[in-house]
């Protein structure tokens, strides 16, 4: 092995014997150059899979204000049904999908690429369907194939980075998701001018062109997505050896042995379920924004074309908060303060909307400001909560199941969001806004409870190590909070 990695490996081996999260999170060693290679190879292409999720989630909202409901003669609750029917298979497929992707003979690039190309075909067909029933069937199929993408991508990212490195990479990953609505707004603004081309309405072209974009990106998934770290090909031998040593020191053996996994313990792990509940609460905000921002902006007085464009700064705010917050978090090794800050920002946004729903004197400008609070608050939570969960898990089974659950069941907030914004309550939506505020408050309570449990574990471990001269900490490690 190259001399430049030898000293680092000795330090990693020493750190592995202690398993202290603080030491792993604050060690000041130079970042190996191959980490940049990993970043450039992993984050952009895997991030694109998350962009597609949000693109497909938000393009139906853009199509709605361009005449989707009228074009397919949808019933009063038809739009809400189109939203929630997507998430039934989306939630059910993610855990088995991640377990399948982690099997020895399954290549991540082939698995994700095949699902993505099929998703692109199904998405394109949304613009060709002639009936409301056909759209529902296509939305259900989209849920199946799209479920594999974000969970699989987040799983693979978690396999390549240490706990200290993960938060910023997850922020970059989720940033690509926020780009989905931005791109969708821009595309919808341009595509709406295609109304009548080839005899098709503008809303149909939104689905058709964005579906073709999905197919195009799928070919890059086949080419660029790497295998798991132990099988990586694009690193030099000494770089690969250093990476594996570093990951084992930080997270233990990551290879998956299905027969040796205690599935009851994995599936019942509070370190998975409490962050998932927090993700669910913050995703209520993201789901509401994705589905209803264009509609809310038109109700603020902007016409459809301007509403598409005015949604873009809202999503860009989420990107700034997300990346900067996770960068600072990675530097100081803390997650909890940033998650709580995000929750408080989100609550401010919901409170403004609730005041509006109660017929208080809330101007359009203030309501527009509330969307920025909600965007910044919710997206810093999504990235940070996912990183926080994976920071405290060990083993490929736990991380695979955890990322699937948090991005699968966590996204169940879409069921709530699609049903509490009742059309006849427009434009005040008292049910929707109060539900959103209630879940934000719930997220704060869960966050405080979770950090208390982690703190208690660390205090207990410190006492055990003090009593036994540090030797009893061999099989336990301190949690990140």
């Amino acid at each position: 092995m190259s001399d430049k990695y030898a000293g680092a490996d000795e330090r990693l081996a020493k750190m592995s014997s202690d398993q202290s999260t603080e030491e792993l999170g604050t060690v000041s060693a130079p970042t190996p150059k191959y980490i940049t290679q990993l970043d450039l190879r992993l984050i952009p292409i895997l991030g694109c899979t998350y962009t597609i999720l949000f693109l497909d989630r938000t393009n139906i909202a853009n199509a709605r204000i361009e005449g989707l409901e009228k074009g397919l003669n949808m019933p009063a609750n038809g739009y809400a049904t189109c939203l929630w029917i997507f998430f039934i298979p989306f939630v059910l497929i993610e855990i088995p999908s991640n377990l399948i992707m982690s099997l020895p003979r399954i290549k991540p690039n082939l698995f994700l690429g095949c699902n993505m190309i099929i998703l692109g075909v199904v998405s394109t067909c949304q613009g060709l369907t002639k009936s409301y029933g056909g759209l529902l069937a296509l939305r259900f199929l989209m849920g199946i194939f799209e479920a594999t993408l974000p969970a699989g991508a987040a799983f693979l990212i978690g396999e390549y980075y240490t706990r200290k490195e993960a938060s910023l990479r997850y922020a970059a990953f989720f940033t690509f998701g926020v780009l989905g609505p931005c791109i969708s707004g821009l595309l919808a603004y341009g595509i709406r001018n295609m109304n009548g081309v080839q005899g098709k309405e503008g809303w149909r072209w939104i689905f058709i062109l964005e579906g073709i974009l999905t197919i195009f990106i799928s070919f890059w998934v086949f080419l660029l997505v790497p295998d798991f770290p132990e099988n990586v090909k694009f690193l030099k031998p000494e770089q690969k050896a250093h990476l594996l040593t570093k990951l084992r020191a930080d997270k233990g053996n990551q290879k998956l042995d299905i027969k040796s996994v205690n599935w009851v313990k994995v599936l019942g792990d509070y370190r998975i379920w409490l962050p998932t509940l927090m993700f669910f609460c913050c995703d209520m905000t993201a789901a509401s924004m994705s589905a209803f921002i264009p509609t809310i902006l038109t109700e603020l007085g902007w016409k459809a074309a301007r509403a598409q464009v005015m949604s873009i700064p809202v999503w860009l705010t989420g990107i700034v908060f997300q990346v900067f917050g996770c960068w600072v978090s990675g530097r100081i090794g803390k997650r909890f303060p940033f998650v709580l800050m995000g929750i408080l920002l989100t609550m401010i946004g919901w409170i403004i909307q609730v005041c509006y729903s109660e017929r208080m004197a809330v101007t359009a400008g203030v309501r527009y400001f509330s969307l920025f609070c909600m965007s910044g608050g919710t997206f810093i939570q999504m990235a940070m909560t996912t990183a926080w969960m994976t920071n405290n898990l060990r083993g490929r089974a736990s991380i695979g199941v955890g990322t699937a659950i948090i991005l699968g069941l966590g996204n169940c907030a879409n069921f709530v969001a699609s049903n509490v914004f009742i059309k006849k309550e427009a434009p005040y939506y008292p049910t929707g806004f109060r539900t959103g505020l209630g879940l934000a408050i719930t997220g704060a309570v869960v966050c405080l409870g979770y950090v208390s449990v982690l703190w208690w574990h660390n205090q207990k471990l410190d006492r055990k190590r003090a009593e036994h001269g540090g030797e009893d900490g061999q099989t336990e490690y301190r949690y990140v909070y």
Side-chain angles (χ1 to χ4, degrees), residues 138-151:
L138 291 167
R139 296 290 296 174
F140 186 87
L141 289 174
M142 282 180 63
I144 294 175
F145 296 107
E146 196 161 299
T148 64
L149 301 179

Side-chain angles (χ1 to χ4, degrees), residues 57-253:
R57 184 187 293 181
T58 56
N59 64 8
I60 192 170
N62 298 125
R64 183 189 192 187
I65 62 176
E66 298 297 340
L68 169 66
E69 291 170 299
K70 182 179 180 181
L72 293 181
N73 296 315
M74 292 167 61
N77 65 341
Y79 179 73
T81 303
C82 286
L83 296 181
W84 65 254
I85 199 170
F86 168 89
F87 286 97
I88 295 176
F90 186 88
V91 169
L92 296 176
I93 293 294
E94 287 204 323
I95 293 177
S97 169
N98 267 10
L99 294 178
I100 290 171
M101 194 179 89
S102 64
L103 293 175
R105 296 186 179 181
I106 303 297
K107 302 296 183 183
N109 65 323
L110 298 179
F111 183 76
L112 296 176
C114 288
N115 281 282
M116 195 169 187
I117 197 169
I118 296 172
L119 172 66
V121 172
V122 174
S123 181
T124 301
C125 289
Q126 290 181 107
L128 303 176
T129 185
K130 301 296 183 182
S131 67
Y132 169 60
L135 181 63
L136 289 181
L138 291 167
R139 296 290 296 174
F140 186 87
L141 289 174
M142 282 180 63
I144 294 175
F145 296 107
E146 196 161 299
T148 64
L149 301 179
F155 177 25
L156 197 58
I157 290 171
E159 289 291 292
Y160 271 92
Y161 296 101
T162 64
R163 285 171 283 174
K164 180 185 178 183
E165 297 165 344
S167 62
L168 184 58
R169 275 71 187 186
Y170 276 119
F173 172 67
F174 278 100
T175 291
F176 278 85
V178 185
L179 286 174
C182 295
I183 295 171
S184 184
L186 281 172
L187 289 176
Y189 179 71
I191 294 172
R192 69 189 308 272
N193 297 318
M194 294 182 66
N195 186 44
V197 175
Q198 297 291 316
K200 294 179 173 61
E201 301 98 312
W203 65 264
R204 291 186 181 275
W205 284 110
I206 291 175
F207 289 129
I208 292 170
L209 295 183
E210 293 181 9
I212 292 172
L213 177 63
T214 302
I215 295 172
F216 173 76
I217 294 175
S218 69
F219 292 110
W220 292 101
V221 172
F222 283 114
L223 292 173
L224 297 178
V225 171
D227 207 334
F228 287 102
E230 63 271 16
N231 299 317
V232 66
K233 296 288 195 301
F234 66 89
L235 295 180
K236 296 176 181 178
E238 64 271 19
Q239 293 174 332
K240 177 180 174 181
H242 181 266
L243 172 65
L244 295 177
T245 302
K246 180 180 67 171
L247 292 174
R248 279 194 296 269
D250 186 61
K251 298 187 283 190
N253 183 15

Side-chain angles (χ1 to χ4, degrees), residues 278 281-282 284-286 289 338-356 366-367 369-381 432-448:
M278 291 159 55
C281 292
C282 77
M284 170 64 186
T285 306
M289 292 171 65
F338 299 92
V339 174
L340 188 61
M341 179 192 71
I343 293 173
L344 294 176
L345 273 174
T346 302
M347 288 173 61
I348 291 172
W350 282 118
I351 288 170
I352 292 173
Q353 299 294 351
V354 168
C355 291
Y356 173 76
V366 173
R367 288 191 73 201
F369 166 77
S370 75
L371 297 179
F372 288 88
C373 293
M374 296 163 82
S375 178
T378 196
F379 286 107
I380 193 174
Q381 287 180 73
F433 295 143
R434 289 169 188 169
T435 302
L437 178 59
L439 285 176
I441 294 171
T442 301
V445 173
V446 175
C447 180
L448 293 171

